[in-house]
Amino acid sequence: MDCITSPDLLRQQCRAWRKQGLTIALVPTMGFLHAGHMSLLDHARLRADKLVVSVFVNPTQFGPAEDLDRYPRDLEHDLALAEAHGAALVFAPDPAAMYHPDHGTWIEVPELGQRLCGASRPIHFRGVCTVVAKLLNLVRPDVAVFGEKDWQQLAILRRMVRDLNMDVELVGRPIFREADGLAMSSRNVYLTPEERAKAPAIHEGLELVRREVRGGVIDAEALTLIFREHLADKLPGARIDYASFVHPESLAPVTRVAAPTLMAVAVFVGNVRLIDNMLLEV
Ligand code: AMP
C-alpha cells in the first residue's frame, strides 16, 4: 500500500488505474481511524478494484473557535489499519498542498447546509463540499462511501453531486456503534471517563423516541421533550445544541412523524460536541 501526499501523484496513479480498466472506490476521512471508518473501507473494498482512503483534517470546515488544532491525529496507526482493510493507497496531503494561498472557489448548498449542524457551524459544510469535490476531481472514483452518522453531510453531498452532474455514485453506510450504543467518533477520545460512561444516554434517548413513535406518539414537540427529559436524567449537565425532526432528504423540519423522519441530535458533553441520529419509520 502506498501513502501519497502529493495531489498530482494521486491523480497520476488513479489515471493509470482507470487506463487499465480498474474501478476505484474512495473513502474520505479525517483520520484517527476507528471501527466505524473500517466498516466503510470494508464495504468500499467490495465495490471496486482499488480502494483509496484520504486522511486529511480539512482546515476549511473548522470554524475559528473549533478544534482544528487539537483534532486527534495518528497517521501511522491509520496507515496500518487502512492497509489491513485492503486500501491500495492512502492520500494524506498537507493543507498547503490542498489549498493554494489564494484559493477562492467554494461549493455551497445553503438550503441544506444552514440547517441542523449548519446553524452553529456556519462555514462547516462549505468546507466539506469543497474538499470532497476536490477529492472527487483528483481521484475520479466510481463510488465514494460515507457514513450515515454524518447524515446531513451525506444529504448535502448527494445534492451537490446531483446539482453539479458529478459522475460518481455516493453510498451511505449505517452508523457503527460501541457495544454500549455510543456512535463511534474520533472525538470520543476527548471524553473524560465519567462523560464516556454516560454518553450512551444519547443513543438510548433516540431508541426511547423510536419506541414512543411505535407506540403512537408522533408529535415532534412531545417527542423532543421525551428526549430532553431522558438526557437531563441520564446525562445531567449535557447541553443540547439541537434535537430535531426533519425530512431525511430535504432536512426540512417536520412537526409530526407521519412519514419516514430523521431525528438528528447534537449534544455537548463537557466540551465535546457529539452527533447522532436515527431514522424513524412509521
Ligand atoms: P470523519 O473522519 O469523522 O470525517 O469521518 C469520515 C467518514 O467516516 C464519514 O463519512 C463519516 O460519516 C464516517 N463515520 C465516522 N464515524 C462513523 C461511524 N461511527 N459509523 C459509520 N461511519 C462513520
Side-chain angles (χ1 to χ4, degrees):
M1 188 193 75
D2 288 327
C3 177
I4 290 183
T5 57
S6 149
D8 287 338
L9 288 181
L10 173 69
R11 196 201 294 276
Q12 276 173 31
Q13 175 62 81
C14 293
R15 196 179 281 152
W17 281 334
R18 277 196 308 279
K19 270 202 177 144
Q20 295 167 40
L22 300 171
T23 56
I24 304 174
L26 170 67
V27 179
T29 82
M30 297 209 296
F32 210 71
L33 301 179
H34 51 66
H37 295 113
M38 290 312 113
S39 71
L40 305 188
L41 267 62
D42 292 342
H43 180 80
R45 183 67 195 83
L46 302 174
R47 299 290 305 257
D49 300 314
K50 295 288 180 185
L51 167 58
V52 175
V53 179
S54 62
V55 172
F56 181 55
V57 183
N58 173 37
T60 66
Q61 68 190 63
F62 287 78
E66 293 182 359
D67 58 349
L68 173 62
D69 292 336
R70 60 182 198 116
Y71 195 86
R73 292 164 167 89
D74 187 349
L75 184 59
E76 240 171 77
H77 185 62
D78 292 345
L79 293 177
L81 274 181
E83 181 159 32
H85 287 259
L89 187 167
V90 167
F91 176 54
D94 282 333
M98 283 298 274
Y99 291 101
H100 287 273
D102 60 351
H103 176 96
T105 307
W106 301 99
I107 298 182
E108 282 192 80
V109 187
E111 190 200 335
L112 301 187
Q114 285 163 7
R115 301 187 192 279
L116 303 175
C117 288
S120 58
R121 307 187 74 190
I123 62 159
H124 176 66
F125 291 111
R126 183 188 80 160
V128 169
C129 287
T130 303
V131 80
V132 171
K134 285 162 73 68
L135 292 167
L136 293 174
N137 282 338
L138 288 167
V139 175
R140 293 184 47 204
D142 299 86
V143 33
V145 182
F146 296 86
E148 289 176 351
K149 182 181 155 261
D150 300 271
W151 186 287
Q152 183 177 17
Q153 166 174 286
L154 182 55
I156 290 172
L157 292 173
R158 284 193 196 286
R159 185 66 66 88
M160 172 185 85
V161 163
R162 188 202 72 181
D163 286 353
L164 298 181
N165 305 94
M166 292 176 159
D167 188 14
V168 62
E169 180 190 352
L170 299 194
V171 175
R173 298 295 296 164
I175 301 176
F176 205 84
R177 298 182 180 280
E178 302 282 358
D180 59 13
L182 177 65
M184 286 197 183
S185 164
S186 307
R187 289 190 168 100
N188 289 351
V189 294
Y190 298 150
L191 297 168
T192 66
E194 301 83 73
E195 289 166 349
R196 171 65 191 82
K198 291 183 178 168
I202 299 169
H203 176 243
E204 285 161 19
L206 293 171
E207 288 282 13
L208 178 61
V209 166
R210 172 180 274 169
R211 286 197 297 277
E212 293 289 340
V213 170
R214 285 187 180 147
V217 183
I218 61 164
D219 178 64
E221 238 173 75
L223 292 165
T224 306
L225 195 62
I226 289 168
F227 181 80
R228 285 184 177 277
E229 283 175 353
H230 176 80
L231 273 208
D233 182 29
K234 302 288 184 200
L235 194 50
R239 185 168 67 77
I240 297 178
D241 182 13
Y242 63 80
S244 303
F245 293 82
V246 298
H247 185 279
E249 282 171 30
S250 72
L251 308 180
V254 301
T255 53
R256 284 154 49 89
V257 183
T261 297
L262 186 78
M263 179 169 189
V265 302
V267 178
F268 280 99
V269 180
N271 293 324
V272 190
R273 188 172 177 282
L274 300 178
I275 58 170
D276 204 339
N277 67 72
M278 186 168 281
L279 192 64
L280 303 168
E281 313 276 359
V282 281

